[in-house]
Amino acid sequence: MTDEVDVVVIGLGVGGEEVAGKLAEAGLSVVGIESRLVGGECPYWGCVPSKMMIRAANALAEARRIDGLAGAAQVQPDWAPVARRIREEATDTWDDRVAVERFEGKGGRFIRGSGRLTGDGLVWVGDVELRARRGVVIATGTEPAIPPVPGLDGTPYWTNHEAIEADTLPDSLVVLGGGAIGLELAQVFARFGVRVTVVEALDRLLAAEEPEASALAEHALRADGIEVHTSAPAQRVDHSGTDGRSASSRAEAGFSVALPTGTATGDALLVATGRRARLDRLGLDTVGLDPAAKAIATDERMRAGDGLWAVGDVTGHGAFTHMAMYHAGIVVADILGRPWPPADYRALPRVTFTDPEIGAVGLTEAQARSAGINVRTGSTQVASTARGWIHRGEGFIKLVADTDRGVLVGATSAGPVGGEVLSALALAVHAEVPLDRLRHMIYAYPTFHRGIEDALRDLALT
Ligand SMILES: Cc1cc2nc3c(=O)[nH]c(=O)nc-3n(C[C@H](O)[C@H](O)[C@H](O)COP(=O)(O)OP(=O)(O)OC[C@H]3O[C@@H](n4cnc5c(N)ncnc54)[C@H](O)[C@@H]3O)c2cc1C
């Protein structure tokens, strides 16, 4: 028997939960399908618990700064309150009952299982067939991409799931991957006393960002005692048979990772080498889409076909919660026939929550140049602003301008609150505020964001 409904949403992570909830609230009959936990990666294994870890690790780092600034402090890290907070406050011990009830309270019908398309508007889940009158929304996210390093398969390596769920910490950890997730977790564990080694195949950390951001990140990690290897593709992984989690198994390092110039060892190995969408399990071929593609291609209304939409990580526009939420707004409006601006990715903000935080928006200098833009850049160091000097802060602001149009097309703001300072720059890129207007704005003294004024001055000089 086939159940007829208005909309079926496959995957109730950040994007899917928002779409399904909003459409149900608007009075449509909506079925939401989720194979794991309603809410998805962000609240259970991503943004929220990782930022709780970072908050705790930064408190330790701040306490260590008391010496020479405000007296003396003895810092004794303890992972137990962090693990408890993640379990009790963030994830409800990885239980989504509240989220399921919230969705059902909005009028949605929830089915736990793996959804698969079987034709236009048709979805199978378990032994139920659903026919969606208005359409199907794919919001299935991504999972960790595991590189084909010889020896890795079959070892008890960690992904972000095990790292977030850790009740106790290993003595030492190798992190494969120098992107945002790897660096954030590496710094957290190092600040809690774990001996951490970061291994990155490319020639710099945070390779998608400005080279200045990469240099700052590497400097900050080294200052926390982290060993960093760049241009170091892992050639082989060996595992001694211990799992690195129990005290008895820590007697000898569990993992050894062969690099071009040496070996990195650790009780545990965290694989953080990017994310990939699993399109092969979604029945995409039944609606004329390529299951071997890297992402689901969408138009500016997030349409992937007739009566088919996709949102979030699975679209390949950037694996961020704010991207999934942004997409969700577009899809809800499109399905309800409400006016809404088309998708526009010019001012995509992203923040690596290391200390210092590295925020960026829009194009990097290299991206702007290869797009044929007539580029001019301006920059300043955080330490050269009054606030940065007072805080002994490290970081920089870099602006990337399109000189023909007289607007910013990108910016990086790295520093003690780089992600917050970014908001002004994101607004400038998004609204295409003329450089002249930015120059003649009043910037509060002494704030970190006053660095924007200095960088604008530098931009005028270069
Ligand atoms: C450690 C870490 C830290 C992060 N920190 C940040 C951050 O600080 N800021 C930020 O913006 N982003 C962050 N992210 C990224 C963010 O978590 C994702 O971009 C976001 O969760 C994407 O939402 P989504 O709805 O596209 O997918 P997801 O949240 O991944 O949800 C997809 C859901 O679909 C389900 N699913 C998959 N296939 C099926 C199927 N066939 N049937 C039914 N259900 C299915 C999955 O179980 C999952 O629950 C972080 C990610 C990680 C891993």
Side-chain angles (χ1 to χ4, degrees):
M1 210 183 84
T2 304
D3 287 359
E4 285 234 356
V5 296
D6 287 326
V7 176
V8 176
V9 180
I10 307 178
L12 294 186
V14 177
E17 186 186 7
E18 177 74 4
V19 170
K22 282 271 154 51
L23 292 177
E25 276 178 326
L28 300 193
S29 64
V30 180
V31 172
I33 305 170
E34 171 55 51
S35 56
R36 282 190 312 201
L37 296 179
V38 173
E41 203 70 3
C42 179
Y44 296 103
W45 297 284
C47 337
V48 177
S50 69
K51 265 77 244 175
M52 273 186 180
M53 292 160 69
I54 288 167
R55 165 77 181 114
N58 287 359
L60 292 175
E62 192 65 2
R64 287 173 184 134
R65 289 175 190 132
I66 286 177
D67 278 13
L69 201 61
Q74 269 206 331
V75 184
Q76 239 186 318
D78 179 6
W79 188 249
V82 185
R84 192 180 322 119
R85 198 167 174 222
I86 289 174
R87 208 172 39 246
E88 291 173 5
E89 291 180 38
T91 68
D92 243 346
T93 319
W94 292 275
D95 183 325
D96 65 352
R97 195 165 33 87
V98 172
V100 171
E101 284 171 7
R102 190 170 52 222
F103 173 54
E104 289 176 339
K106 291 175 181 171
R109 175 177 157 204
F110 176 63
I111 301 180
R112 180 99 53 200
S114 234
R116 192 167 46 87
L117 287 156
T118 51
D120 287 333
L122 289 174
V123 176
W124 268 98
V125 50
D127 52 7
V128 180
E129 188 184 45
L130 301 159
R131 179 184 297 279
R133 283 184 290 262
R134 295 215 194 177
V136 175
V137 181
I138 300 177
T140 47
T142 47
E143 61 178 32
I146 307 301
V149 180
L152 178 61
D153 196 25
T155 65
Y157 61 81
W158 286 5
T159 65
N160 60 300
H161 282 222
E162 289 76 17
I164 297 283
E165 289 175 16
D167 269 332
T168 56
L169 297 185
D171 288 339
S172 54
L173 172 75
V174 178
V175 178
L176 268 197
I181 293 174
L183 299 196
E184 289 178 6
L185 295 175
Q187 194 177 45
V188 164
F189 291 134
R191 288 182 165 186
F192 273 88
V194 177
R195 179 176 66 79
V196 179
T197 308
V198 171
V199 173
E200 167 57 55
L202 299 175
D203 64 356
R204 60 189 177 96
L205 305 176
L206 299 180
E209 300 300 347
E210 297 283 7
E212 295 91 331
S214 308
L216 178 68
E218 183 167 338
H219 171 75
L221 294 195
R222 287 190 192 280
D224 275 311
I226 296 171
E227 202 177 303
V228 178
H229 297 268
T230 50
S231 302
Q235 295 176 328
R236 183 174 172 84
V237 170
D238 285 294
H239 180 251
S240 65
T242 63
D243 67 5
R245 290 189 208 204
S246 61
S248 60
S249 72
R250 291 189 200 141
E252 64 180 282
F255 284 92
S256 87
V257 181
L259 307 174
T261 54
T263 305
T265 58
D267 293 334
L269 172 68
L270 168 63
V271 179
T273 44
R275 313 274 307 174
R276 66 163 186 162
R278 288 299 302 265
L279 302 188
D280 51 328
R281 300 183 288 208
L282 292 174
L284 290 180
D285 48 324
T286 66
V287 294
L289 297 182
D290 179 8
K294 282 210 159 114
I296 297 183
T298 48
D299 68 9
E300 75 286 357
R301 309 225 155 262
M302 307 317 298
R303 293 177 189 170
D306 261 358
L308 187 66
W309 289 261
V311 300
D313 282 14
V314 76
T315 66
H317 284 291
F320 302 105
T321 284
H322 43 272
M323 181 60 84
M325 300 290 287
Y326 175 72
H327 285 163
I330 295 171
V331 169
V332 168
D334 201 33
I335 291 177
L336 295 177
R338 293 178 181 162
W340 198 271
D344 171 1
Y345 302 110
R346 287 173 310 110
L348 169 62
R350 52 223 182 250
V351 180
T352 301
F353 290 89
T354 43
D355 171 19
E357 280 179 9
I358 299 175
V361 61
L363 302 177
T364 61
E365 179 181 353
Q367 287 167 340
R369 288 195 192 285
S370 57
I373 293 171
N374 200 355
V375 170
R376 189 179 288 181
T377 65
S379 53
T380 189
Q381 293 298 311
V382 163
S384 69
T385 65
R387 187 70 180 278
W389 173 74
I390 290 165
H391 277 250
R392 296 178 177 159
E394 284 188 294
F396 65 94
I397 289 176
K398 176 173 177 178
L399 309 178
V400 181
D402 176 339
T403 50
D404 294 340
R405 291 192 301 133
V407 295
L408 295 181
V409 291
T412 298
S413 121
V417 284
E420 305 302 324
V421 170
L422 185 70
S423 70
L425 297 166
L427 177 65
V429 174
H430 173 76
E432 301 183 323
V433 182
L435 288 170
D436 227 34
R437 299 226 53 173
L438 288 177
R439 277 195 194 102
H440 299 115
M441 201 176 116
I442 305 171
Y443 297 83
Y445 180 89
T447 56
F448 288 109
H449 74 249
R450 264 183 80 80
I452 296 172
E453 193 177 32
D454 296 343
L456 283 164
R457 204 170 299 124
D458 186 52
L459 185 75
L461 296 174
T462 51

